[in-house]
Amino acid sequence: MEPAAPPIGSPFDLRVGKSDGVDESDVRSALETGDWGFIHSFTTGSAVDGPGVRVVAWLSACQFRCVFCHNPDTWKMSNGTPVRLERAIEVVKQYRTSLRTMKGGLTISGGEPLMQYRFLSKLFPAIHQVGIHTTLETNGYFGERLSDADLASIDLVMLGLKAIDPDLHKRLTGMENKPAHDFARRLAARKHPVWIRYVVVPGWTDTMEEADRMAEFAASLGNVERVDVLPFHQMGRFKWEKLGMEYKMRDAQPPSRETISQVLSRFHAAGLNAV
Ligand code: SF4
């Protein structure tokens, strides 16, 4: 594979087939060694993906199939551009001074970044050791793949918990939620800083019963610094249509301000810093 720089742009840019020409054995070897990462998009100056102003890389591939997903083009590894580890490190290091000034850092998101955990196991320590704050945004399903040493190079975990009710979670994402909850408890036992991200999806996770259960779980952990309550939006709809995929949320309206404020109040009542 030829070395490439991370593809600049928003995760809301539709990207497909960026590594279609890459040999299957090269993809396998990249995943086994972690010497290459498949990056869907890369941006600078984000103020919503962790503390301060951040450089964000969205990695491709995800094992979930969330019905509300805003970025279904990140699901396939082949929609990411292959980027050599050294190149990724070099690019992020260029921003070291400004990231420090803006109290920011590097956030790795996706897709689901832990689909490429070997790449992260090399990338995070290299970035962390030069004093750049590191954040992993994950659905938590493959959290057990990270060793304690890996976790030591990740300053903050932003854990996207989709639903507490197991059946609801399975219908919403196609996968079980127990692995993510186990990961949350492991992080809690380590007192590892965590932000929880909870998307309020109309008709799915907008009930107060679900919000109460999520708040109770988050509060029981003791290491959750903040909860981001995120309203579902329709910015990803065009991707589902362009990809020719059935979009169950096609006609859904974003939750009302009142619903969001009620959900927030349930987290506040549990003693959490929810925003
Ligand atoms: S975990 Fe994130 S990227 Fe994966 S399907 Fe769900 S919303 Fe989309």
Side-chain angles (χ1 to χ4, degrees), residues 62-66 68-72 74-75 110-112 139 162 173:
C62 186
Q63 74 282 66
F64 279 21
R65 294 291 177 263
C66 300
F68 61 88
C69 185
H70 307 142
N71 297 312
T74 62
W75 290 357
E112 171 43 49
N139 62 33
K162 315 298 184 195
T173 70

PDB file of all heavy atoms in Angstrom, residues 62-66 68-72 74-75 110-112 139 162 173, ligand 1:
ATOM      1  N   CYS A  62     -17.701  -0.721  11.573  1.00  0.00           N
ATOM      2  CA  CYS A  62     -18.483  -0.788  12.809  1.00  0.00           C
ATOM      3  C   CYS A  62     -19.255  -2.101  12.807  1.00  0.00           C
ATOM      4  O   CYS A  62     -19.734  -2.540  11.762  1.00  0.00           O
ATOM      5  CB  CYS A  62     -19.464   0.384  12.909  1.00  0.00           C
ATOM      6  SG  CYS A  62     -20.319   0.425  14.514  1.00  0.00           S
ATOM      7  N   GLN A  63     -19.354  -2.718  13.990  1.00  0.00           N
ATOM      8  CA  GLN A  63     -20.099  -3.979  14.099  1.00  0.00           C
ATOM      9  C   GLN A  63     -21.559  -3.732  14.448  1.00  0.00           C
ATOM     10  O   GLN A  63     -22.373  -4.632  14.359  1.00  0.00           O
ATOM     11  CB  GLN A  63     -19.416  -4.918  15.113  1.00  0.00           C
ATOM     12  CG  GLN A  63     -19.566  -4.567  16.576  1.00  0.00           C
ATOM     13  CD  GLN A  63     -18.671  -3.451  17.051  1.00  0.00           C
ATOM     14  OE1 GLN A  63     -18.833  -2.318  16.631  1.00  0.00           O
ATOM     15  NE2 GLN A  63     -17.725  -3.764  17.940  1.00  0.00           N
ATOM     16  N   PHE A  64     -21.899  -2.505  14.870  1.00  0.00           N
ATOM     17  CA  PHE A  64     -23.296  -2.175  15.171  1.00  0.00           C
ATOM     18  C   PHE A  64     -24.015  -1.783  13.873  1.00  0.00           C
ATOM     19  O   PHE A  64     -23.374  -1.401  12.896  1.00  0.00           O
ATOM     20  CB  PHE A  64     -23.371  -1.002  16.150  1.00  0.00           C
ATOM     21  CG  PHE A  64     -23.166  -1.377  17.601  1.00  0.00           C
ATOM     22  CD1 PHE A  64     -22.532  -2.538  17.963  1.00  0.00           C
ATOM     23  CD2 PHE A  64     -23.609  -0.535  18.615  1.00  0.00           C
ATOM     24  CE1 PHE A  64     -22.334  -2.878  19.297  1.00  0.00           C
ATOM     25  CE2 PHE A  64     -23.422  -0.861  19.954  1.00  0.00           C
ATOM     26  CZ  PHE A  64     -22.786  -2.024  20.297  1.00  0.00           C
ATOM     27  N   ARG A  65     -25.316  -1.867  13.924  1.00  0.00           N
ATOM     28  CA  ARG A  65     -26.150  -1.413  12.799  1.00  0.00           C
ATOM     29  C   ARG A  65     -27.281  -0.569  13.365  1.00  0.00           C
ATOM     30  O   ARG A  65     -28.460  -0.909  13.248  1.00  0.00           O
ATOM     31  CB  ARG A  65     -26.707  -2.626  12.013  1.00  0.00           C
ATOM     32  CG  ARG A  65     -25.642  -3.439  11.295  1.00  0.00           C
ATOM     33  CD  ARG A  65     -25.037  -2.645  10.130  1.00  0.00           C
ATOM     34  NE  ARG A  65     -23.963  -3.357   9.440  1.00  0.00           N
ATOM     35  CZ  ARG A  65     -22.661  -3.183   9.682  1.00  0.00           C
ATOM     36  NH1 ARG A  65     -22.256  -2.324  10.610  1.00  0.00           N
ATOM     37  NH2 ARG A  65     -21.761  -3.841   8.993  1.00  0.00           N
ATOM     38  N   CYS A  66     -26.909   0.525  14.009  1.00  0.00           N
ATOM     39  CA  CYS A  66     -27.906   1.366  14.674  1.00  0.00           C
ATOM     40  C   CYS A  66     -28.899   1.916  13.653  1.00  0.00           C
ATOM     41  O   CYS A  66     -28.485   2.452  12.614  1.00  0.00           O
ATOM     42  CB  CYS A  66     -27.219   2.518  15.402  1.00  0.00           C
ATOM     43  SG  CYS A  66     -26.064   1.969  16.674  1.00  0.00           S
ATOM     44  N   PHE A  68     -30.527   4.474  13.751  1.00  0.00           N
ATOM     45  CA  PHE A  68     -30.490   5.938  13.659  1.00  0.00           C
ATOM     46  C   PHE A  68     -29.140   6.446  13.178  1.00  0.00           C
ATOM     47  O   PHE A  68     -28.907   7.659  13.162  1.00  0.00           O
ATOM     48  CB  PHE A  68     -30.772   6.544  15.045  1.00  0.00           C
ATOM     49  CG  PHE A  68     -29.760   6.140  16.089  1.00  0.00           C
ATOM     50  CD1 PHE A  68     -28.600   6.873  16.269  1.00  0.00           C
ATOM     51  CD2 PHE A  68     -29.963   5.016  16.866  1.00  0.00           C
ATOM     52  CE1 PHE A  68     -27.653   6.494  17.211  1.00  0.00           C
ATOM     53  CE2 PHE A  68     -29.025   4.618  17.816  1.00  0.00           C
ATOM     54  CZ  PHE A  68     -27.866   5.362  17.995  1.00  0.00           C
ATOM     55  N   CYS A  69     -28.230   5.543  12.793  1.00  0.00           N
ATOM     56  CA  CYS A  69     -26.836   5.933  12.507  1.00  0.00           C
ATOM     57  C   CYS A  69     -26.769   7.104  11.512  1.00  0.00           C
ATOM     58  O   CYS A  69     -27.418   7.096  10.478  1.00  0.00           O
ATOM     59  CB  CYS A  69     -26.073   4.740  11.942  1.00  0.00           C
ATOM     60  SG  CYS A  69     -24.319   5.110  11.699  1.00  0.00           S
ATOM     61  N   HIS A  70     -25.930   8.086  11.845  1.00  0.00           N
ATOM     62  CA  HIS A  70     -25.770   9.250  10.969  1.00  0.00           C
ATOM     63  C   HIS A  70     -24.728   8.997   9.892  1.00  0.00           C
ATOM     64  O   HIS A  70     -24.636   9.752   8.924  1.00  0.00           O
ATOM     65  CB  HIS A  70     -25.330  10.480  11.778  1.00  0.00           C
ATOM     66  CG  HIS A  70     -26.206  10.774  12.948  1.00  0.00           C
ATOM     67  ND1 HIS A  70     -25.737  11.222  14.158  1.00  0.00           N
ATOM     68  CD2 HIS A  70     -27.545  10.663  13.087  1.00  0.00           C
ATOM     69  CE1 HIS A  70     -26.755  11.379  14.988  1.00  0.00           C
ATOM     70  NE2 HIS A  70     -27.847  11.038  14.374  1.00  0.00           N
ATOM     71  N   ASN A  71     -23.929   7.990  10.107  1.00  0.00           N
ATOM     72  CA  ASN A  71     -22.805   7.772   9.184  1.00  0.00           C
ATOM     73  C   ASN A  71     -22.688   6.309   8.745  1.00  0.00           C
ATOM     74  O   ASN A  71     -21.673   5.651   9.019  1.00  0.00           O
ATOM     75  CB  ASN A  71     -21.490   8.220   9.849  1.00  0.00           C
ATOM     76  CG  ASN A  71     -21.490   9.701  10.164  1.00  0.00           C
ATOM     77  OD1 ASN A  71     -21.827  10.517   9.314  1.00  0.00           O
ATOM     78  ND2 ASN A  71     -21.128  10.041  11.388  1.00  0.00           N
ATOM     79  N   PRO A  72     -23.721   5.781   8.073  1.00  0.00           N
ATOM     80  CA  PRO A  72     -23.658   4.368   7.688  1.00  0.00           C
ATOM     81  C   PRO A  72     -22.530   4.055   6.694  1.00  0.00           C
ATOM     82  O   PRO A  72     -22.165   2.892   6.541  1.00  0.00           O
ATOM     83  CB  PRO A  72     -25.040   4.108   7.066  1.00  0.00           C
ATOM     84  CG  PRO A  72     -25.544   5.449   6.655  1.00  0.00           C
ATOM     85  CD  PRO A  72     -24.972   6.424   7.640  1.00  0.00           C
ATOM     86  N   THR A  74     -19.601   4.683   7.279  1.00  0.00           N
ATOM     87  CA  THR A  74     -18.418   4.297   8.058  1.00  0.00           C
ATOM     88  C   THR A  74     -18.451   2.814   8.428  1.00  0.00           C
ATOM     89  O   THR A  74     -17.510   2.312   9.030  1.00  0.00           O
ATOM     90  CB  THR A  74     -18.314   5.110   9.382  1.00  0.00           C
ATOM     91  OG1 THR A  74     -19.469   4.818  10.188  1.00  0.00           O
ATOM     92  CG2 THR A  74     -18.232   6.598   9.129  1.00  0.00           C
ATOM     93  N   TRP A  75     -19.542   2.120   8.119  1.00  0.00           N
ATOM     94  CA  TRP A  75     -19.675   0.732   8.576  1.00  0.00           C
ATOM     95  C   TRP A  75     -18.643  -0.216   7.951  1.00  0.00           C
ATOM     96  O   TRP A  75     -18.217  -1.174   8.573  1.00  0.00           O
ATOM     97  CB  TRP A  75     -21.085   0.204   8.247  1.00  0.00           C
ATOM     98  CG  TRP A  75     -22.169   0.820   9.067  1.00  0.00           C
ATOM     99  CD1 TRP A  75     -22.043   1.731  10.088  1.00  0.00           C
ATOM    100  CD2 TRP A  75     -23.579   0.590   8.931  1.00  0.00           C
ATOM    101  NE1 TRP A  75     -23.272   2.071  10.583  1.00  0.00           N
ATOM    102  CE2 TRP A  75     -24.238   1.395   9.902  1.00  0.00           C
ATOM    103  CE3 TRP A  75     -24.347  -0.213   8.093  1.00  0.00           C
ATOM    104  CZ2 TRP A  75     -25.627   1.401  10.049  1.00  0.00           C
ATOM    105  CZ3 TRP A  75     -25.732  -0.201   8.243  1.00  0.00           C
ATOM    106  CH2 TRP A  75     -26.359   0.587   9.204  1.00  0.00           C
ATOM    107  N   GLY A 110     -15.529   7.034  15.204  1.00  0.00           N
ATOM    108  CA  GLY A 110     -15.801   6.167  14.061  1.00  0.00           C
ATOM    109  C   GLY A 110     -17.196   6.428  13.501  1.00  0.00           C
ATOM    110  O   GLY A 110     -17.797   7.468  13.795  1.00  0.00           O
ATOM    111  N   GLY A 111     -17.762   5.418  12.851  1.00  0.00           N
ATOM    112  CA  GLY A 111     -17.490   3.990  12.905  1.00  0.00           C
ATOM    113  C   GLY A 111     -17.268   3.547  14.343  1.00  0.00           C
ATOM    114  O   GLY A 111     -17.654   4.209  15.285  1.00  0.00           O
ATOM    115  N   GLU A 112     -16.627   2.420  14.471  1.00  0.00           N
ATOM    116  CA  GLU A 112     -16.243   1.938  15.796  1.00  0.00           C
ATOM    117  C   GLU A 112     -14.731   1.727  15.792  1.00  0.00           C
ATOM    118  O   GLU A 112     -14.230   0.758  15.205  1.00  0.00           O
ATOM    119  CB  GLU A 112     -16.985   0.636  16.125  1.00  0.00           C
ATOM    120  CG  GLU A 112     -16.491  -0.062  17.379  1.00  0.00           C
ATOM    121  CD  GLU A 112     -16.239   0.904  18.548  1.00  0.00           C
ATOM    122  OE1 GLU A 112     -17.098   1.733  18.858  1.00  0.00           O
ATOM    123  OE2 GLU A 112     -15.139   0.826  19.145  1.00  0.00           O
ATOM    124  N   ASN A 139     -18.375   2.550  21.056  1.00  0.00           N
ATOM    125  CA  ASN A 139     -19.618   1.957  21.554  1.00  0.00           C
ATOM    126  C   ASN A 139     -19.333   0.937  22.668  1.00  0.00           C
ATOM    127  O   ASN A 139     -20.260   0.391  23.260  1.00  0.00           O
ATOM    128  CB  ASN A 139     -20.441   1.322  20.420  1.00  0.00           C
ATOM    129  CG  ASN A 139     -19.722   0.168  19.714  1.00  0.00           C
ATOM    130  OD1 ASN A 139     -18.963  -0.570  20.330  1.00  0.00           O
ATOM    131  ND2 ASN A 139     -19.972   0.011  18.418  1.00  0.00           N
ATOM    132  N   LYS A 162     -26.145   3.022  23.969  1.00  0.00           N
ATOM    133  CA  LYS A 162     -27.315   3.252  23.107  1.00  0.00           C
ATOM    134  C   LYS A 162     -28.634   3.002  23.825  1.00  0.00           C
ATOM    135  O   LYS A 162     -29.609   3.679  23.556  1.00  0.00           O
ATOM    136  CB  LYS A 162     -27.251   2.346  21.869  1.00  0.00           C
ATOM    137  CG  LYS A 162     -25.883   2.284  21.179  1.00  0.00           C
ATOM    138  CD  LYS A 162     -25.442   3.622  20.660  1.00  0.00           C
ATOM    139  CE  LYS A 162     -24.122   3.503  19.898  1.00  0.00           C
ATOM    140  NZ  LYS A 162     -23.494   4.803  19.683  1.00  0.00           N
ATOM    141  N   THR A 173     -29.606  -1.733  17.689  1.00  0.00           N
ATOM    142  CA  THR A 173     -28.224  -1.773  17.167  1.00  0.00           C
ATOM    143  C   THR A 173     -27.865  -3.085  16.472  1.00  0.00           C
ATOM    144  O   THR A 173     -26.839  -3.150  15.801  1.00  0.00           O
ATOM    145  CB  THR A 173     -27.208  -1.593  18.318  1.00  0.00           C
ATOM    146  OG1 THR A 173     -27.235  -2.784  19.135  1.00  0.00           O
ATOM    147  CG2 THR A 173     -27.520  -0.396  19.180  1.00  0.00           C
TER     148      THR A 173
HETATM  149  S1  SF4 B   1     -22.141   2.524  16.803  1.00  0.00           S
HETATM  150 FE1  SF4 B   1     -22.055   4.571  15.848  1.00  0.00          FE
HETATM  151  S2  SF4 B   1     -21.158   4.225  13.804  1.00  0.00           S
HETATM  152 FE2  SF4 B   1     -21.809   2.240  14.601  1.00  0.00          FE
HETATM  153  S3  SF4 B   1     -23.858   1.941  13.723  1.00  0.00           S
HETATM  154 FE3  SF4 B   1     -24.098   2.851  15.763  1.00  0.00          FE
HETATM  155  S4  SF4 B   1     -24.202   5.050  15.454  1.00  0.00           S
HETATM  156 FE4  SF4 B   1     -23.371   4.132  13.557  1.00  0.00          FE
END
